[in-house]
Amino acid sequence: MDSALLQTIWTVVAFVFFVGVVFWAWSGRRKSDFDEAARMPLEDDEISVTDRQQDSH
């Protein structure tokens, strides 16, 4: 096996892996998980504001 063949095989494997990750990320089953993860920073801010308001009373 020469290095050009190994590079070609590696490129194909990396491309197939990339396509697999894209399909996994865009699948409908993952939407709820990603929506929840997208709301996490906002939920942390709401908790912090609530904690500060309770501490001030």
Side-chain angles (χ1 to χ4, degrees):
M1 276 192 168
D2 63 342
S3 64
L5 180 61
L6 290 175
Q7 288 175 343
T8 302
I9 292 171
W10 175 245
T11 300
V12 170
V13 169
F15 178 73
V16 169
F17 179 75
F18 174 77
V19 169
V21 169
V22 168
F23 279 121
W24 171 79
W26 285 92
S27 70
R29 292 182 291 174
R30 302 289 304 163
K31 182 169 177 24
S32 63
D33 294 334
F34 288 128
D35 288 343
E36 181 181 338
R39 287 189 303 271
M40 283 176 58
L42 301 174
E43 291 171 356
D44 288 342
D45 288 344
E46 290 173 4
I47 292 170
S48 298
V49 170
T50 306
D51 289 342
R52 284 188 227 137
Q53 288 173 351
Q54 288 176 354
D55 291 342
S56 65
H57 291 107

